[in-house]
């Protein structure tokens, strides 16, 4: 149901799902509300149930129902026309990410376009690039062994509400075993209420707090000297850099007491190396989020927590188990020669070429530099919900000749697209096999529990049929899922039947750890060390250690708009699910009690939230435990697809208030600065004073 | 004697409301009736950390239930092991039990026009399994306790 893809086991009767639970081998049956509500998704007819081609203007919501044959012919025809006039590189594909992207990557590369992308510039890109600049390893190249750590430090990572079931259980197991949790945020959250220590900071000062911690740890010589001497390059530059950023300074900047920072530092230094500073999940927030994340990565290094139990562990793959990896669709395809349209790899040399940065394609659509981008395929990705300022996005998309949405539900983008190819839900579709690296790596696969009762298809079939039409079917040598799986598994010696017992194939019985005394060569930086000063950043004219700049205060009468997640909904795509909608039909605007009193706002009042040129009406939630400079809402609401009768205009979508932020990118990390948005709020005139109707 | 109890380990509960959905999907209930409820008090600062604890409430399976004697058809029953349940065959949806229960625990099911309530998932319990909410709780915070064993 959501992009975390927690493993589930499903029971059926006939073609009816009767029971969904978390995989008993991995989750002991545990499952969140979203996963459980899949039965309601199946029954929900307010989603695309057969292929649709747009009849009226874009976004007008007039559709013609067509056969798959007609829809795929239409898409293939348009793609061919675009390729004929502009070359294959003028087609881009974005996918919501996750373990099963190999197939769609292969499709776009097979067409001859390098332009594969995803949503990550509004999510973890800063964290990823910060990790690369320090270790030469990406953010997914570390596993946080939370269960066994003694102290977990979370900067705004609301780990018990932005749920991944296994991880949430690890946190609770850690707390049950007496571990400590420190939580930093501008408001109190579900995670914060379980914490032993809560730092409520001024918005945008995470970097200051992290710098203050680094200063204090170095000053008190609390770091792992041996690890640092052995593995870290240019440590002296760090020591020198943090001199001005004392605990006292940080406390003042963040609105905390310095003794509390010092107490904290003493505690983590005593607990190291079993201390994890979570470097952030979704950290596309402030202008310095890249540097905030880099500082958090550095704090981990100071703890010397790499490849130790209760620290950060390098994930192992099939190779570490003496097994050959899966055959990859993408790997057999010659690399497209054109340069990327988003500039990643040639204009921006310090960014990871993998998925590049989606928002930069919008710029290219408008400027046509280095070449025009005319076709966009979004696979289960809704850029209008994920990126700020849908109005600006539409302006760019109007330069495109073809917009295709492959999705299980009506995304806001889909509603604006030319074609909707309805994908079967997660209970009705098979997926390719993927590798899940880890301390105990495994192969994973999704297998359908029931047959679809509508005219929807699984992604593997859609891609194959489109590929055949585009003359690249030979890259996808399968006609059935069995053939596909057999092709992927062939080098590994496993068979699809091996998944029957547990739902996955474990590649080892015992956890695999590298020898901590032989970490040399594991860091993929040019020097092979953990690099405080990154050459790649320097070459791009960027600081590795950036002097701190205090965040702007909101203009008078305004608030900084921050957003987050609830455990009930997965961004925008579950809002219309009947059972989840029943639990949480709309979002609310959290506002500080004193500010609310000043505005004459009480709990439950309607409020107007006004960005530049856009307004929303939303109910107030008044609380002491949010910083007075911010207002907060859960992301994903305010949907504008009229066929989603429950979600339609319920609550407000934060991204729609973020006018002008589409190209506000952190130049070092590539993440967007989504919390650099200020809004005015007032008690709405829509609150009735008395009844004047009959 | 009541034999069973559902116990919530508040240290683990994260207020994700999944149990409510697990209960509903297990009984295939439509939008409307919610048979168990997760709730909490407003946050209060405890030594610098704003805190609250969650509560879980389904049916109390009263020793001497108010809902059973008022049922005109004998649909609402208490078993030997203490479980109070509605025999769906016999229920006529008169809602007398809802009025009699001090907490209005039984709920109207618009799909059947009858009443549903927490029955500790007795079909599962009789099959040696645990109730749906307990089995699938996101954090293993819910426990199904057999009182005789203590
Ligand atoms: S599912 Fe478990 S953790 Fe979630 S609210 Fe219910 S009892 Fe609490
Ligand atoms: S329904 Fe009400 S009266 Fe009947 S057993 Fe449950 S709590 Fe008691
Ligand atoms: S609603 Fe059903 S269970 Fe309740 S009193 Fe009436 S017949 Fe009995
Ligand atoms: S025991 Fe069964 S019926 Fe009662 S609340 Fe839990 S899931 Fe629902």
């Amino acid at each position: 149901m959501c992009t975390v893809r927690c493993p589930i086991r499903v029971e059926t009767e006939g073609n009816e799902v009767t029971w969904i639970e978390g995989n008993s081998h991995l989750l002991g049956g545990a499952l969140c509300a979203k996963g459980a509500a899949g039965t309601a998704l199946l029954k929900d007819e307010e989603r695309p149930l057969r292929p649709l081609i747009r009849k009226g203007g874009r976004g007008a919501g007039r559709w013609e129902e067509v056969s798959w044959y007609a829809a795929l012919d239409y898409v293939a025809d348009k793609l061919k026309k675009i390729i004929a006039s502009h070359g294959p590189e003028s087609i881009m594909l974005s996918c919501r990410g996750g373990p099963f992207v190999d197939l769609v990557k292969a499709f776009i590369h097979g067409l001859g376009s390098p332009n594969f992308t995803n949503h990550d510039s509004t999510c973890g890109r800063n964290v990823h690039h910060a990790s690369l600049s320090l270790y030469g390893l990406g953010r997914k190249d570390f596993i946080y062994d939370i269960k066994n750590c003694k102290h977990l430090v979370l900067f705004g990572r609301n780990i018990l509400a932005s749920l991944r079931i296994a991880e949430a259980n690890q946190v609770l197991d850690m707390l049950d075993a007496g571990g400590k949790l420190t939580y930093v945020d501008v408001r109190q959250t579900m995670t914060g209420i379980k914490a032993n220590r809560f730092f409520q900071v001024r918005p945008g000062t995470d970097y200051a707090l992290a710098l203050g911690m680094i200063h204090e740890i170095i000053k008190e010589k609390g770091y792992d000297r041996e690890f640092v001497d052995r593995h870290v390059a240019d440590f002296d530059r760090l020591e020198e850099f943090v001199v001005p950023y004392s605990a006292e300074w940080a406390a003042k900047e963040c609105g905390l007491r310095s003794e509390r920072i010092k107490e904290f530092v003493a505690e983590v230094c005593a607990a190291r190396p079993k201390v994890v500073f979570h470097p952030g999940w979704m950290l596309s927030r402030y202008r310095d989020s890249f540097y905030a994340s880099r500082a958090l990565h550095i704090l981990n290094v100071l703890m010397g927590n790499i490849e130790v139990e209760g620290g950060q562990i390098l994930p192992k793959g099939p190779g570490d188990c003496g097994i050959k990896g899966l055959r990859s669709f993408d790997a057999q395809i010659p690399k497209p020669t054109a340069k990327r349209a988003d500039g990643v790899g040639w204009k921006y040399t310090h960014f990871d070429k993998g998925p590049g940065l989606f928002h930069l394609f919008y710029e290219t659509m408008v400027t046509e530099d280095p070449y025009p981008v005319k076709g966009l395929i979004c696979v289960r990705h809704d850029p209008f919900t994920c990126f700020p300022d849908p109005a600006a996005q539409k302006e760019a998309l109007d330069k495109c000749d073809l917009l295709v949405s492959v999705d299980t539900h009506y995304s806001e983008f889909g509603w604006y697209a030319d074609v909707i190819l309805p994908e079967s839900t997660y209970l009705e579709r098979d997926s390719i096999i993927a590798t899940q690296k880890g301390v105990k790596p495994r192969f994973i696969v999704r297998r359908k529990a029931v047959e679809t009762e509508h005219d929807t298809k699984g992604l593997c079939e859609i891609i194959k049929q489109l590929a055949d039409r585009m003359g690249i079917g030979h890259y996808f040598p399968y006609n059935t899922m069995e053939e596909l799986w057999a092709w992927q598994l062939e080098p590994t010696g496993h068979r699809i039947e091996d998944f029957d017992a547990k739902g996955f194939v474990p590649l080892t019985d015992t956890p695999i750890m590298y020898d901590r005394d032989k970490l040399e060569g594991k860091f993929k930086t040019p020097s092979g060390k953990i690099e405080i000063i990154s050459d790649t950043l320097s070459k791009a004219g960027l600081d590795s250690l950036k002097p701190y700049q205090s965040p702007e205060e909101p203009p008078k009468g305004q608030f900084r708009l921050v957003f987050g997640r609830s455990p009930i909904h997965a961004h925008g795509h579950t809002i219309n699910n009947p059972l989840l909608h029943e639990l949480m039909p709309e979002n609310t605007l959290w506002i500080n009690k004193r500010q609310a009193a000043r505005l004459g706002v009480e709990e439950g009042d309607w409020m107007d939230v006004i960005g530049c040129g856009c307004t929303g009406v939303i109910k107030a939630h008044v609380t002491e435990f949010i910083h007075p400079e911010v207002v907060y809402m859960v992301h994903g609401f305010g949907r504008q697809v009229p066929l989603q009768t429950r979600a339609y205009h319920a609550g407000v979508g934060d991204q729609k208030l973020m006018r002008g932020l589409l190209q506000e990118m952190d130049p070092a990390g590539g993440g967007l600065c989504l919390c650099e948005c200020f809004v005015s709020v007032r008690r709405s005139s829509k609150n009735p004073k008395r009844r004047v109707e009959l | 004697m009541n034999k069973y109890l559902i116990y919530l380990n508040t240290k683990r509960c994260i207020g994700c409301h999944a149990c409510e959905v697990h209960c509903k999907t297990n009984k295939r209930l439509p939008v409307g009736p919610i048979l168990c409820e997760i709730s909490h008090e407003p946050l209060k600062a405890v030594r610098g950390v704003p805190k609250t604890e969650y509560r879980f409430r389904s049916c109390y399976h009263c020793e001497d239930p108010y809902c059973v004697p008022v049922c005109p058809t004998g649909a609402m029953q208490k078993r030997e092991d203490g479980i109070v349940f509605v025999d769906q065959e016999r229920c006529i949806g008169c809602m007398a039990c809802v009025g009699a229960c001090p907490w209005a625990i039984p709920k109207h099911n618009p799909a059947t026009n009858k009443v549903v309530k927490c029955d500790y998932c007795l079909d599962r319990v009789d099959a040696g399994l645990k109730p749906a909410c307990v089995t699938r709780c996101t954090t293993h915070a819910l426990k199904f306790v057999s009182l005789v064993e203590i």
Side-chain angles (χ1 to χ4, degrees), chain A residues 13 16 18-21 27-33 36-37 39 160 163 165 169 172-173 176 188 190 192-198 567-568 578-580 582-583 625, chain B residues 9-18 20-22 24-26 28-34 43-45 48-52 54 124 132 135-140:
Chain A
E13 255 172 56
E16 289 268 315
T18 52
W19 180 262
I20 311 178
E21 67 174 17
L27 301 176
L31 187 63
C32 81
T39 50
L160 299 180
L163 269 183
I165 299 174
N169 276 290
L172 296 162
D173 291 350
D176 279 349
Q188 180 56 310
M190 190 56 238
I193 68 170
K194 303 280 187 201
N196 309 85
R197 184 184 283 103
F198 174 53
I568 315 261
L579 291 182
L580 299 175
E582 182 180 27
L583 279 181
F625 304 108
Chain B
N9 177 353
T10 53
K11 278 176 88 180
R12 284 192 82 94
C13 175
I14 57 168
C16 69
H17 295 266
E20 297 176 13
V21 181
H22 295 321
K24 290 190 67 148
T25 52
N26 178 51
R28 303 202 207 177
L29 297 179
V31 169
I34 295 177
L43 300 183
K44 255 211 248 118
V49 184
K51 294 255 179 196
T52 187
Y54 282 86
R124 289 182 58 81
T135 310
R136 289 152 62 175
C137 163
T138 309
T139 62
H140 309 288

Side-chain angles (χ1 to χ4, degrees), chain A residues 86-92 108-109 112-116 335-349 353-354 356-357 360-361 364 368-373:
Chain A
H86 306 283
E89 61 276 13
S90 59
I91 296 164
M92 63 180 282
I108 189 73
H109 290 159
S113 169
N115 294 318
F116 173 76
K335 265 209 159 53
T337 47
K339 48 188 182 181
R340 288 184 65 98
D342 56 1
V344 173
W346 55 279
K347 190 159 149 199
Y348 303 103
T349 48
K353 270 194 289 191
L357 300 167
L360 292 175
F361 284 98
T364 311
E368 306 207 336
D369 174 29
Y371 49 77
V373 172

Side-chain angles (χ1 to χ4, degrees), chain A residues 448-468:
Chain A
K448 63 179 165 196
V450 287
E451 295 298 330
T452 172
E453 288 174 0
H454 304 285
D455 200 9
T456 61
K457 280 189 198 297
L459 188 62
C460 299
E461 199 183 340
I462 299 175
I463 290 292
K464 169 71 180 166
Q465 295 187 358
L466 213 45
D468 279 344

Side-chain angles (χ1 to χ4, degrees), chain A residues 373-407:
Chain A
V373 172
K374 292 291 179 187
L376 166 61
I377 304 171
C378 282
V379 179
R380 239 174 296 116
H381 177 203
D382 185 2
F384 291 177
T385 302
C386 146
F387 290 99
D389 202 346
Q393 295 179 52
K394 286 177 188 171
E395 226 174 283
L397 290 176
D398 286 344
K399 304 274 269 180
C400 287
D401 297 335
L402 178 68
L403 307 176
V404 181
S405 166
V406 183
D407 215 324

Side-chain angles (χ1 to χ4, degrees), chain A residues 30-96:
Chain A
L31 187 63
C32 81
K34 291 164 284 181
T39 50
L41 172 70
L42 277 179
K43 295 268 171 275
D44 181 16
E45 303 218 333
E46 294 187 356
R47 56 186 174 96
L49 301 174
R50 49 196 68 79
L52 299 171
I53 296 183
R54 179 170 63 80
K55 271 207 301 201
R58 278 191 181 151
R62 294 181 59 226
W63 299 99
E64 185 177 353
E65 293 186 354
V66 296
S67 65
W68 274 97
Y69 199 82
L72 292 170
D73 274 357
Y74 180 90
V75 172
D77 202 49
K78 287 265 184 176
L79 288 176
K80 281 180 194 156
K81 279 199 185 120
I82 293 172
I83 292 173
S85 19
H86 306 283
E89 61 276 13
S90 59
I91 296 164
M92 63 180 282
L93 183 146
S94 177
C95 175
R96 193 52 177 73

